Amino acid sequence: MTMTPDAPQLGQARLRKEDARLITGQTTWTDNIQQVGTLHVAFLRSPFAHARITNVDVSAAREQPGVVAAFTGADFAGEQGSLPCAWPVTDDIVVPDHPPMAVEEVRYVGEAVACVVARDAYAAADALEAIEVDFDPMPVVLDMEEAVAEGADLVHASAGTNKSFTWPFSAGDVEGAFSGADVVVTRRYRQQRLIPAAMEPRAVVCRPDGDAFTLWSATQIPHVLRVMLAMTTGIPEHKLRVIAPDVGGGFGSKLQVTAEEVLALLLAKRLGKPVKWTESRSEGFQTTHHGRDQIQDVSIAADSDGRIRGLKVDLLADMGAYLMLVTPGVPILGAFMFPAIYKMDAYSFSCTGVFTTKTPTDAYRGAGRPEATYAIERIMTELAHELNMDPMELRRRNWIAREEFPYTTIAGLTYDSGDYEAATDRAMELFGYDGLRAEQRARRDRGDTVQLGIGISTFTEMCGLAPSRVLGSLSYGAGGWEHASVRMLPTGKVEVVTGSTPHGQGHETAWSQIVADRLGVPFEDVQVLHGDTQVAPKGMDTYGSRSLVVGGTAVVEACDRVVDKARRIAAHMLEAAEGDMEFSGGAFTVRGTSQPAATIQEVALAAFAAHSLPDGVEPSLDADSTFDPENFSYPHGTHLCAVEVDTATGAVRIRSYVAVDDVGAVVNPLIVEGQVHGGLAQGIAQALYEEAVHDADGNLVTSTMADYLLPSAADLPDFTTDRTETPATTNPLGVKGVGEAGTIASTPAVVNAVVDALRPFGVHDVRMPCTPERVWRALSEAGSGGGAVAGSPTSLPADSRASAPPGASAYDEDEGGAQ
């Protein structure tokens, strides 16, 4: 056996191993799982955003054809526990009980109040109509500012307040920084509520196995789910097996312990039969946790030359009706990223979590970091305008220079590496920045109806969650380590067991590339196992762009331990000293000799046979590693967007988009490219398309894909992408996270471009999503758009055209909060 790879795998654009089955329908989604005798569950959900339950009668439903059982929340009151919140961010945080099925009161539309179990899904759904529920409607609480006002109606009367927590942070002399500043800019930004929409809906199957249970779920977190199900229901953890089969996307929405997972377990336990539930798309829109939803009040202080002196951030964050798994921690993650790539003297942050009678919020792609990046990149652009300065020049004057790394920010994070100059220079070159600015000036001079806007986003993020010590210091309920096992089979093939469970990221391919290089085995000889707590018993799962940085490093360390174990056996086989052994390309040789090599495959077979092993050596090369990093990883990049805005209709068209990201060393550029493209689509969607809207009674009116505008490929431009490479210094691969970068960077780039196009008309903000109606209204309110809609050509204020310098608009003291 002399099988060795032909070329290094790291950096190769290998097609993904998993795609063959994923894209040809040969995989197993949770809803495809068929167990003998499976019963199907349907939930009756509240039509009220806030109401007292005075009666639930399921007796008629039990008589419907095909129905096996029907239950109310009261039937589970003694065993369903409370859905967990694992991130109580302050000592005095208000964490209300959150029963998986409501018993006395409902607090958002869609909360489950009863269920039917039937022989097929259609019979279960039909029987819901026979359930009688009496509700006593209560006041709804929808607006965050009204919710925290004196005398507000309460979501949880027993709490006595709609405030869940207030989390403060401060560094430096904030008041001093602001009191002596030449310019202070204050803005309010609104992060709209978003609805995650993974390709695969949520689904769960639970099968009783004697006194144990196997639960399949479309989840990102089988390991965390297993622990939490045990703690919530009291069923011993060793009696629970959780399997995440192939999972079709998550974006944080499946980083959750859901009511349906808990209830499926309790139903299987009570009925002694396998049960299955799969959400409809509308059911998912109503009940899967939502994302974002913040009011951001931001102030920035600077000297007249643009040097930033200080930053203040005051947030209201909508928690929804309850705290889910990491709900309170989402805005706190953002707290560390508002200073972004910029140096400053002082920083203060405060976030108040607010209860409302809406679907709970929780992690959604980026989780706190998109919100922070949006605010800082928007207000940096506003500051440039106030200073009459090119927005990129302002950023250059304030960002951390390449020679200053490692650099500890005002928020206390230590960025290990970065090169903002290189990424920006490349992006500017690809974008044709100067040419587009010249075209913009020409259009403004001509008074074109369609104006050109240029948006900038120079971003970084903290990802690769871990480190456990830091998470602990922030009161997070778990660690951030990751586990891997590498098993050398007798035939020389390799099994890799990872605790990082994929839901579309390409783990099987990337991990195979790592192992192929590390052990010197063919890429095709590596099999990656995951997603089953019996197969991969240890893990912290996939979220926060952590898999490669943390989980991949665990794989590297496990491989190195395999080589270390093999080295001793190889030395024995070659009759050489262990210290003289060299390992390269999958083979051991004796240093300084032409002696024949022993391949890693030959050593694996020798270990299996165990006929002639050194004394005290176990007959196995298998090795484990649990890696807990000392720091986050900090990818960064520069995104530039050019939009054309029709000032007569408000229509926005992205003309060009350039993204130059630095994600450290790259294992598979094809996967990186896919992650960036997907992230860009999601971030642009927030800027231009998506918003969850409720009516005055708290009903979600965007509860279908006909109402909630998810862009398709046809709605998006071609992206120009490139990379610079500044390796991370905190892991042996030199890698940084990439899963969230596109989402984090793109939203402010697009909105900055839209506002830039409208700046001469007196517009300094457009609330997201920047729909044609909102753009038109912004123009109208600024006093320039109404005439255009009435049919007369839109014209620019003469003073703005005359005084706007290259790369910047004229400063108008009436527009903003300059001092």
Side-chain angles (χ1 to χ4, degrees), residues 736-747:
K736 304 177 182 180
V738 68
E740 296 155 311
T743 304
I744 291 170
S746 57
T747 307

Side-chain angles (χ1 to χ4, degrees), residues 85-127:
C85 171
W87 205 334
V89 294
T90 61
D91 293 337
D92 60 351
I93 186 173
V94 175
V95 184
D97 284 343
H98 185 183
M101 186 178 289
V103 179
E104 298 177 343
E105 194 170 319
V106 291
R107 295 182 174 87
Y108 66 93
V109 173
E111 193 169 357
V113 296
C115 70
V116 170
V117 185
R119 300 194 188 284
D120 65 64
Y122 304 104
D126 289 345

Side-chain angles (χ1 to χ4, degrees), residues 484-669:
S485 298
V486 173
R487 303 196 292 239
M488 287 297 304
L489 304 182
T491 56
K493 311 302 182 185
V494 184
E495 288 180 339
V496 179
V497 181
T498 176
S500 180
T501 303
H503 43 283
Q505 290 87 352
H507 288 39
E508 294 176 25
T509 304
W511 275 215
S512 295
Q513 291 179 265
I514 293 170
V515 173
D517 273 7
R518 215 72 188 183
L519 296 182
V521 301
F523 170 80
E524 295 78 11
D525 284 0
V526 183
Q527 183 77 15
V528 180
L529 308 175
H530 55 77
D532 182 336
T533 58
Q534 278 195 354
V535 174
K538 297 179 181 178
M540 294 302 294
D541 306 313
T542 292
Y543 45 84
S545 301
R546 68 186 302 275
S547 290
L548 182 59
V549 175
V550 188
T553 301
V555 171
V556 168
E557 291 188 345
C559 285
D560 291 348
R561 291 173 187 176
V562 167
V563 172
D564 287 343
K565 294 175 77 171
R567 187 185 310 277
R568 189 171 182 188
I569 297 175
H572 184 71
M573 293 168 65
L574 298 175
E575 298 180 344
E578 186 177 341
D580 291 336
M581 302 305 297
E582 292 183 336
F583 182 72
S584 177
F588 290 95
T589 55
V590 181
R591 183 182 299 112
T593 74
S594 58
Q595 191 171 341
T599 67
I600 190 86
Q601 293 92 346
E602 291 169 333
V603 177
L605 184 61
F608 169 74
H611 294 165
S612 179
L613 298 181
D615 292 341
V617 172
E618 66 177 11
S620 172
L621 299 185
D622 299 351
D624 294 356
S625 174
T626 301
F627 176 67
D628 196 342
E630 295 292 325
N631 198 355
F632 300 101
S633 81
Y634 301 98
H636 67 85
T638 296
H639 289 215
L640 302 173
C641 178
V643 301
E644 292 182 332
V645 181
D646 189 327
T647 57
T649 66
V652 175
R653 185 181 77 87
I654 296 179
R655 184 169 124 176
S656 62
Y657 195 101
V658 170
V660 176
D661 288 282
D662 192 325
V663 297
V666 172
V667 172
N668 186 319

Side-chain angles (χ1 to χ4, degrees), residues 89-383:
V89 294
T90 61
D91 293 337
D92 60 351
I93 186 173
V94 175
V95 184
D97 284 343
H98 185 183
M101 186 178 289
V103 179
E104 298 177 343
E105 194 170 319
V106 291
R107 295 182 174 87
Y108 66 93
V109 173
E111 193 169 357
V113 296
C115 70
V116 170
V117 185
R119 300 194 188 284
D120 65 64
Y122 304 104
D126 289 345
L128 293 179
E129 295 182 6
I131 298 175
E132 295 184 2
V133 185
D134 296 325
F135 293 102
D136 181 9
M138 301 171 68
V140 298
V141 181
L142 302 175
D143 182 271
M144 280 189 276
E145 290 182 293
E146 293 177 3
V148 297
E150 188 73 21
D153 294 313
L154 297 177
V155 180
H156 299 274
S158 60
T161 177
N162 288 323
K163 292 182 182 178
S164 174
F165 64 89
T166 296
W167 194 92
F169 177 88
S170 184
D173 180 5
V174 177
E175 295 311 316
F178 275 75
S179 64
D182 295 322
V183 178
V184 174
V185 178
T186 298
R187 293 286 187 269
R188 165 168 286 204
Y189 299 122
R190 187 69 170 89
Q191 291 280 331
Q192 76 270 37
R193 178 172 280 241
L194 300 174
I195 301 177
M199 189 175 293
E200 182 201 16
R202 290 183 299 139
V204 58
V205 175
C206 188
R207 182 188 68 197
D209 298 311
D211 63 347
F213 301 88
T214 299
L215 185 138
W216 292 262
S217 181
T219 179
Q220 295 176 224
I221 53 166
H223 299 90
V224 174
L225 178 58
R226 183 192 189 206
V227 174
M228 290 299 175
L229 286 175
M231 297 175 73
T232 301
T233 66
I235 296 173
E237 185 181 353
H238 67 293
K239 299 294 184 182
L240 292 171
R241 177 185 182 186
V242 176
I243 302 173
D246 285 321
V247 177
F251 313 118
S253 70
K254 295 170 182 172
L255 167 55
Q256 195 54 266
V257 178
T258 68
E260 293 82 3
E261 290 166 330
V262 173
L263 292 169
L265 177 58
L266 296 179
L267 286 166
K269 178 184 178 186
R270 183 169 294 204
L271 299 172
K273 299 280 189 182
V275 300
K276 176 191 284 188
W277 171 80
T278 300
E279 70 179 5
S280 67
R281 186 60 72 175
S282 292
E283 198 174 23
F285 272 38
Q286 282 190 332
T287 63
T288 301
H289 73 244
H290 293 174
R292 311 284 196 272
D293 208 346
Q294 294 181 358
I295 297 173
Q296 303 174 311
D297 289 309
V298 187
S299 297
I300 193 166
D303 292 333
S304 58
D305 63 357
R307 189 185 74 85
I308 300 172
R309 297 171 62 95
L311 180 70
K312 295 180 184 176
V313 177
D314 192 3
L315 299 185
L316 289 179
D318 193 340
M319 305 284 99
Y322 302 98
L323 304 182
M324 300 291 286
L325 191 62
V326 297
T327 301
V330 170
I332 307 310
L333 279 175
F336 298 96
M337 295 314 302
F338 279 91
I341 66 172
Y342 307 115
K343 297 174 285 188
M344 58 188 72
D345 301 331
Y347 169 54
S348 71
F349 172 92
S350 179
C351 174
T352 298
V354 183
F355 291 116
T356 61
T357 52
K358 290 186 281 191
T359 303
T361 59
D362 207 307
Y364 179 54
R365 199 169 188 175
R369 292 153 289 166
E371 297 94 312
T373 301
Y374 180 81
I376 186 65
E377 289 303 294
R378 283 286 295 112
I379 205 161
M380 283 294 287
T381 298
E382 295 300 300
L383 176 61

Side-chain angles (χ1 to χ4, degrees), residues 760-781:
F761 301 93
V763 175
H764 64 76
D765 193 27
V766 179
R767 180 172 165 174
M768 295 188 292
C770 301
T771 62
E773 178 187 352
R774 284 196 173 144
V775 170
W776 180 85
R777 289 189 181 282
L779 283 164
S780 297
E781 291 167 6

Side-chain angles (χ1 to χ4, degrees), residues 34-59:
Q34 302 294 337
Q35 297 293 310
V36 175
T38 295
L39 302 174
H40 298 262
V41 184
F43 291 99
L44 185 69
R45 300 185 180 278
S46 171
F48 294 97
H50 197 192
R52 190 171 293 106
I53 301 170
T54 58
N55 179 58
V56 185
D57 184 354
V58 298
S59 57

